[in-house]
Amino acid sequence: MTSLEFTSQVQKISLTLRPAAMNLTRDADDAKDLVQETLLKALLNKDKFKAGTNLKAWLYTIMRNTFINNYNKITKRSSNIDSTEYFQYFNTDQNYITHNGATSDFVVRDINEAIAGLGTDYRTPFMMYYIGYKYMEIAEKLQIPIGTVKNRIHIARKELKSALQVYAPVGASAGDVSEAVED
């Protein structure tokens, strides 16, 4: 496919990209920017397009990946890890607020103690995951393999499940409790 043919086909398909960009961004100006950035990337990387494949799907993939990358840049978290930040979010969990404030105080204290009882190697990745970090981000920030991150979070969940068994609903199986800890 020649450059002229490629450019012509991209130009025809570009009209169908805007509605999809609107679905992703929910903003007309951002959608225009996303389509423009997608077309720029497509034209700069036309040598990577294989003739005979679906050009429209290739453009949609570029657009989706561009949107995700831009979103991740905007929402990137700071690399400062402070355990007080974890407990600030943890203590405001509305799931444990009851009419009797003393009961919720006991629950929160027991949860905080259970978390504090975890080894640092397990507590740090678990709390990072709890406040919203992705496995890959945790691995990068702690400079450990992603498999190690997943394993440490899994072990932390198991230890918390065991330590907080007293809060399991009557008749609940072990799987029900682990699901509650994972949420």
Side-chain angles (χ1 to χ4, degrees), residues 33-129:
D33 291 342
L34 181 59
V35 169
Q36 186 176 17
E37 192 171 349
T38 300
L39 295 176
L40 177 65
K41 286 182 178 182
L43 293 173
L44 291 174
N45 294 295
K46 65 184 169 203
D47 56 311
K48 295 179 181 173
F49 177 73
K50 295 179 179 127
T53 59
N54 188 342
L55 179 60
K56 189 173 184 179
W58 188 69
L59 290 171
Y60 277 95
T61 301
I62 292 172
M63 183 169 61
R64 187 190 72 237
N65 291 342
T66 300
F67 173 77
I68 291 169
N69 290 340
N70 289 342
Y71 179 81
N72 286 338
K73 284 178 191 173
I74 291 169
T75 60
K76 201 66 169 167
R77 296 168 187 89
S78 69
S79 62
N80 186 10
I81 301 170
D82 182 12
S83 63
T84 57
E85 175 185 334
Y86 302 140
F87 292 116
Q88 174 186 356
Y89 289 113
F90 199 74
N91 289 337
T92 61
D93 193 343
Q94 296 297 311
N95 294 331
Y96 295 105
I97 294 179
T98 64
H99 296 295
N100 180 352
T103 303
S104 65
D105 289 343
F106 286 124
V107 172
V108 170
R109 188 188 71 224
D110 289 348
I111 291 171
N112 286 338
E113 286 176 5
I115 291 171
L118 294 172
T120 306
D121 288 345
Y122 300 105
R123 183 176 52 243
T124 302
F126 175 80
M127 292 308 298
M128 289 177 74
Y129 183 78

Side-chain angles (χ1 to χ4, degrees), residues 77-79 81 128 133 136-143:
R77 296 168 187 89
S78 69
S79 62
I81 301 170
M128 289 177 74
Y133 283 86
M136 188 60 80
E137 293 174 320
I138 297 168
E140 289 173 2
K141 294 203 184 294
L142 299 180
Q143 298 178 347

